[in-house]
Amino acid sequence: MSANPKDIKTPPVSDTVTIEVDGRRLQARKGQMLIEVTDASGIYIPRFCYHNKLSIAANCRMCLVDVEKAPKPLPACATPVAEGMVVRTRSDRARTAQKSTMEFLLINHPLDCPVCDQGGECELQDLALGYGKDVSRYAEAKRIVKDRDIGPLISTDMTRCIHCTRCVRFGQEVAGVMEFGGLGRGEHMEIRTFLDRSVDSELSGNVIDLCPVGALTSKPFRYTARPWELEDHASISPHDCVGANINVQARRGTVMRVLPRDNEAVNECWLADRDRFSYEALKGEDRLRVPMIRRGAEWEETDWATAFEFTVAGFKKVLEEHGPESLGALASPISTLEEFYLLQKLMRALGSGNVDHRLRQTDFSDDAAAPLFPSLGRPIAELENLDGALLIGANPRKDQPLINLRLRKSALKGARVFAINPVDYDFSYRLAGKLISGPAQMVRALAGVARALSVLKKAEWPAAFAKNFRDVKPGVSEQAMAEALQQSSRASVLLGSFALSHPQAAALRSLAQYVADLCGAKLGQLPDANGAGAWLAGCVPHRGAAGKTVTTGHTARGMLHAPLKACLLLGLEPELDCLDGAAAAAAMRAAEFVVMLTTFKPSPYRTSAVEYADVWMPLAPFTETDGTFVNAEGRCQEFVTAVSPLAEARPGWKILRMLGHHLGLSGFEQDGVDDVRREMNLPDAMPAASAFPYSIAATEETVPAAGQLMRLAEVPIYALDPIVRRAPALQKTADNPPPAARMNAAQADKLGLAAGANVKLVTPQGAASLELVVDDRVPDGCVLAPSGYPETVTIGAHGPVTVRAAS
């Protein structure tokens, strides 16, 4: 009697299979590619085109292996495992296939290993040793491919190209900018850029690492050193809030190259060009090598003892005549956690709470409610698994390129990403919706999203919002954003660099908090560089280290607009690093005594520090000091010195410690950065970010008068800090055009101005003459004039501006 089919229970289908590779039994996930299984098990299979972060191309055929019962060798990168599969990677059949592939790859390859920059770290060179022959059977002429100039960062020798297409797939799949492509077929195929354009992606340098041969190499590094001469030093990049892990490669005390260091939780295996090529500045001729003091109008070199005596005398004179409240300090966001801590400790030991690092912030009205540090709200790695995101005043593609990679992954998986921005930025993925408007309208647009959510969720509309946004009615776009966000189960609301420098930043934070709370999202901020570390170290006027209560001092903006009598500057050029360069320059000139701890000798072209500073102390950059950077997720990443400080330069923590000692202050006896870290006593686990209250302080809404425009003071990617501004190759890229006044075509026509004409921008602080560039990304009523350039220092920060034809 046959069994009833309903009584027969089907065994559960297992997610794993068992295979045999070279006699070893391995467990693998069903559908996993064979090469992934062998890599995880330590069984090496040669490859060129395969990369675990890229799609499978299976075009090099180097990974051919012998699979039992298969009629011919199969590519391990494109062969999914199956139950009972038996694989041999070193059988005669597999080795013959691999050696034949190598023979074909070498047919057209030039014999230029001795002069190739990839020599010593070339995958083709390594595999040719194991799989190549010592005699070629190919007698025909080898192909020649013409090299093309593709920009200041990457050198090409395309005759060496083996058509692995890694560079093509990287641009298309990871960076989101398809700059390389294949033209032609067979041996006539060429990998080249579209219409021979330059490679302009902010992540373009990654193709150098991906290229398995010497076809794409680093132009700044070219012919300067051999890989076996270099020593690796693990470090952290200081240029944005990601804290990318890097390997600083040095030879005889000089940084020669910077490469990515794998860390899946932070930067995976990628690196932004800013992190990769900025090291060039550290070898420049304008490095400050010895302390210098100004006597009258003349600058003279001196020793450290004299510099400290001169500094102490200057500070004591100001303290005696004007009191401690007349003393202040500003720090660059690229400083280390330990430098921030000792700077604020020094100021507070002298009786002053005037210390800050927020050089590009203009609204500080919610300082008391701010969390322990500006947090991303979630681990960086989680950003690639969102199903919704709202970007406010954010251009992550240029400001935080590696954050943008994570968001792009989410978008490609179907996440709906929205943006409320002052400029229609170019994203590397399709936005689900966007609102582009001037600063004041940005606040109202976010209020519209918040109001729409309150209606959808039937939530109370806070009294502060009702008072300030009485007439706000959500439009179609705001409604669509609200509906999408409230349907999301894993969403983030991110405040970017422009939002944090916005004249009404506190209002944006409060509204963003409300939006995040209603839709169950995480509120995140993207601070400048080591901004999270600065907050934790107490380098803010209203809190000490780890949030301790201290006597409140002036904010950075307060120090600039109510100038101090003495100022200590840590690693910054005030006119270029402060958003309001005009106020910074005026404040420095009004001070009686200014001390600069600086890596570079101030140039008259860039800054007027030659006139207002009294002491220059040579500051060691991040490659020449031990320290800690804290990224936006709160991850503390320690690093050590890669090379010895140049000449008489010294790490910032040592300079500040010695300055405290010479001033006769107690508590400045630390022997190393470990002592400083222990003294800070930061929590092992960072607490969850506290919420901003639903309240808006009374701040004036800046509205241009009739005939005026709103100036947007964006800081471009390669004008960010003193190191990046001096990196020659980065300064030649397409992302660093000369500063210009940008407005849309309709706005230019309305003002009677033509593209290419010289225009004059006039503000209460001063005037600047710039070329007019028609840019339809800029909304009506606005003009985009970048900050961080000497040409635009005189016109201040965001605010009303009159634009007219230059006479």
Side-chain angles (χ1 to χ4, degrees):
M1 182 178 177
S2 61
N4 188 335
K6 293 183 180 180
D7 296 332
I8 300 175
K9 294 184 178 180
T10 303
V13 178
S14 174
D15 289 333
T16 61
V17 296
T18 301
I19 65 172
E20 181 183 308
V21 181
D22 293 342
R24 291 174 55 186
R25 292 176 65 83
L26 304 175
Q27 294 291 314
R29 188 180 71 252
K30 184 177 291 185
Q32 197 172 11
M33 294 303 162
L34 178 58
I35 201 168
E36 296 176 313
V37 180
T38 56
D39 281 354
S41 304
I43 299 172
Y44 180 73
I45 296 175
R47 83 289 303 270
F48 289 114
C49 68
Y50 173 78
H51 191 279
N52 63 351
K53 295 291 183 181
L54 304 176
S55 64
I56 293 170
N59 54 12
C60 77
R61 318 306 284 181
M62 193 64 210
C63 64
L64 292 172
V65 292
D66 182 8
V67 179
E68 193 173 85
K69 298 180 181 179
K72 59 182 179 181
L74 301 178
C77 68
T79 302
V81 295
E83 180 66 40
M85 178 184 282
V86 178
V87 181
R88 299 178 184 86
T89 68
R90 295 178 177 84
S91 67
D92 290 342
R93 192 182 187 202
R95 294 282 292 185
T96 299
Q98 292 161 354
K99 288 184 176 182
S100 297
T101 298
M102 177 59 69
E103 184 175 15
F104 277 113
L105 288 173
L106 293 177
I107 279 177
N108 278 310
H109 202 78
L111 298 175
D112 60 352
C113 292
V115 298
C116 177
D117 237 29
Q118 194 87 349
E121 54 186 4
C122 175
E123 295 175 46
L124 182 66
Q125 198 176 53
D126 293 341
L127 292 180
L129 187 64
Y131 299 89
K133 296 181 179 180
D134 56 358
V135 176
S136 174
R137 295 184 289 172
Y138 188 72
E140 290 76 15
K142 295 193 175 193
R143 70 171 188 149
I144 300 295
V145 181
K146 180 182 177 182
D147 289 317
R148 293 170 172 84
D149 185 358
I150 60 171
L153 304 180
I154 303 171
S155 286
T156 62
D157 289 278
M158 301 312 290
T159 300
R160 301 170 183 160
C161 179
I162 60 171
H163 303 162
C164 71
T165 69
R166 282 184 179 181
C167 57
V168 178
R169 285 175 284 146
F170 170 79
Q172 188 174 24
E173 300 164 8
V174 180
V177 184
M178 190 171 177
E179 296 179 294
F180 286 102
L183 184 68
R185 298 183 64 188
E187 73 166 10
H188 299 294
M189 176 181 173
E190 292 184 28
I191 301 295
R192 55 193 291 186
T193 57
F194 180 65
L195 295 179
D196 290 335
R197 292 177 179 170
S198 60
V199 174
D200 300 323
S201 164
E202 63 283 349
L203 297 160
S204 65
N206 289 291
V207 301
I208 298 169
D209 303 327
L210 289 171
C211 184
V213 295
L216 302 172
T217 56
S218 169
K219 189 171 283 189
F221 176 71
R222 190 174 176 88
Y223 300 143
T224 60
R226 286 297 195 180
W228 56 82
E229 300 177 307
L230 306 177
E231 295 180 355
D232 278 3
H233 303 274
S235 191
I236 305 296
S237 176
H239 302 301
D240 62 28
C241 63
V242 174
N245 289 215
I246 58 176
N247 271 326
V248 176
Q249 295 191 323
R251 182 186 64 182
R252 294 193 290 275
T254 300
V255 176
M256 304 302 294
R257 183 169 62 169
V258 169
L259 297 176
R261 183 161 50 93
D262 289 3
N263 186 331
E264 285 296 313
V266 181
N267 58 296
E268 302 177 89
C269 60
W270 312 122
L271 208 55
D273 290 350
R274 183 170 57 196
D275 304 324
R276 183 186 299 270
F277 295 106
S278 62
Y279 75 90
E280 276 194 289
L282 306 181
K283 303 191 292 184
E285 290 299 316
D286 55 352
R287 282 289 303 271
L288 182 63
R289 287 167 164 76
V290 296
M292 299 184 71
I293 58 177
R294 181 165 62 90
R295 299 187 188 276
E298 298 298 322
W299 282 90
E300 62 181 49
E301 296 182 355
T302 188
D303 54 43
W304 276 105
T306 304
F308 281 128
E309 290 173 8
F310 190 85
T311 301
V312 168
F315 279 156
K316 286 185 174 179
K317 182 176 183 293
V318 170
L319 288 169
E320 290 171 3
E321 294 180 359
H322 304 285
E325 66 280 356
S326 66
L327 179 65
L330 296 171
S332 168
I334 66 171
S335 305
T336 67
L337 181 73
E338 296 79 7
E339 290 167 349
F340 285 133
Y341 174 75
L342 289 177
L343 180 68
Q344 63 87 29
K345 181 177 182 178
L346 178 68
M347 287 296 105
R348 292 184 164 116
L350 291 171
S352 172
N354 302 327
V355 59
D356 210 344
H357 71 283
R358 297 166 295 173
L359 310 178
R360 294 184 175 123
Q361 188 169 325
T362 56
D363 182 8
F364 300 85
S365 58
D366 61 346
D367 268 2
L372 185 61
F373 67 96
S375 168
L376 188 60
R378 61 170 79 243
I380 289 174
E382 285 187 9
L383 292 177
E384 64 183 58
N385 295 312
L386 302 179
D387 58 3
L390 175 59
L391 308 180
I392 304 165
N395 182 17
R397 180 179 166 190
K398 300 300 180 184
D399 293 338
Q400 300 89 18
L402 298 174
I403 293 282
N404 190 62
L405 285 189
R406 304 281 189 173
L407 293 172
R408 173 175 159 78
K409 286 186 182 181
S410 286
L412 293 178
K413 293 174 187 175
R416 289 173 288 184
V417 182
F418 299 92
I420 299 176
N421 274 331
V423 176
D424 192 3
Y425 296 121
D426 296 323
F427 283 84
S428 55
Y429 42 89
R430 187 182 296 278
L431 294 177
K434 59 187 176 183
L435 287 166
I436 310 300
S437 59
Q441 292 75 27
M442 279 177 60
V443 179
R444 299 185 71 80
L446 183 56
V449 175
R451 183 60 179 146
L453 268 171
S454 73
V455 173
L456 286 170
K457 292 286 189 178
K458 298 180 181 178
E460 181 184 354
W461 184 235
F465 296 169
K467 177 183 177 182
N468 288 275
F469 307 110
R470 193 175 295 109
D471 58 342
V472 166
K473 293 182 180 179
V476 175
S477 297
E478 288 97 329
Q479 189 71 37
M481 289 183 184
E483 290 174 359
L485 289 171
Q486 67 97 20
Q487 293 169 7
S488 301
S489 58
R490 299 181 310 279
S492 274
V493 178
L494 296 176
L495 293 156
S497 300
F498 190 93
L500 300 185
S501 71
H502 193 285
Q504 294 174 281
L508 289 177
R509 279 189 282 265
S510 185
L511 288 164
Q513 183 70 67
Y514 184 73
V515 169
D517 290 345
L518 287 191
C519 63
K522 299 286 188 181
L523 175 63
Q525 300 184 69
L526 297 171
D528 287 339
N530 194 22
W535 277 84
L536 290 168
C539 195
V540 286
H542 59 294
R543 289 183 192 160
K548 294 176 183 175
T549 302
V550 292
T551 302
T552 300
H554 291 300
T555 63
R557 187 173 188 272
M559 285 186 258
L560 298 184
H561 288 271
L564 305 167
K565 296 299 180 182
C567 198
L568 178 59
L569 306 176
L570 174 61
L572 69 139
E573 298 170 303
E575 300 98 317
L576 304 180
D577 288 310
C578 295
L579 191 68
D580 193 341
M588 295 304 108
R589 291 193 186 97
E592 295 177 6
F593 193 70
V594 176
V595 178
M596 295 181 69
L597 277 60
T598 175
T599 303
F600 304 97
K601 184 183 292 185
S603 163
Y605 165 71
R606 298 177 185 273
T607 171
S608 54
V610 172
E611 301 169 8
Y612 61 68
D614 296 279
V615 185
W616 293 337
M617 295 185 176
L619 174 69
F622 73 102
T623 54
E624 300 171 14
T625 184
D626 300 343
T628 307
F629 289 134
V630 184
N631 71 4
E633 69 179 32
R635 182 187 296 263
C636 291
Q637 300 187 102
E638 299 175 4
F639 59 94
V640 297
T641 302
V643 294
S644 299
L646 178 69
E648 292 298 311
R650 295 292 179 266
W653 71 269
K654 286 188 177 182
I655 299 173
L656 293 166
R657 182 200 64 185
M658 288 301 296
L659 188 53
H661 174 74
H662 279 80
L663 283 164
L665 305 173
S666 61
F668 289 87
E669 296 82 27
Q670 299 86 354
D671 291 328
V673 291
D674 289 337
D675 293 340
V676 182
R677 291 175 190 139
R678 280 192 291 269
E679 189 177 319
M680 275 188 281
N681 195 29
L682 295 179
D684 293 332
M686 294 301 172
S690 57
F692 287 96
Y694 304 150
S695 61
I696 298 176
T699 56
E700 291 186 15
E701 184 177 307
T702 306
V703 179
Q708 289 186 316
L709 302 178
M710 188 68 177
R711 185 256 176 132
L712 308 176
E714 179 186 63
V715 183
I717 182 173
Y718 299 137
L720 195 67
D721 59 57
I723 297 177
V724 171
R725 285 194 291 267
R726 288 173 172 82
L730 293 178
Q731 294 303 304
K732 296 174 186 174
T733 60
D735 271 334
N736 190 55
R742 295 174 179 269
M743 64 180 70
N744 65 49
Q747 187 69 64
D749 289 342
K750 190 181 296 184
L751 296 176
L753 302 172
N758 283 334
V759 296
K760 193 169 188 178
L761 280 66
V762 182
T763 68
Q765 292 95 330
S769 293
L770 300 172
E771 180 185 350
L772 175 64
V773 174
V774 170
D775 188 339
D776 288 331
R777 300 177 308 147
V778 183
D780 290 339
C782 296
V783 57
L784 177 62
S787 182
Y789 292 92
E791 295 89 339
T792 58
V793 164
T794 52
I795 53 176
H798 309 299
V801 60
T802 301
V803 182
R804 60 172 181 259
S807 55

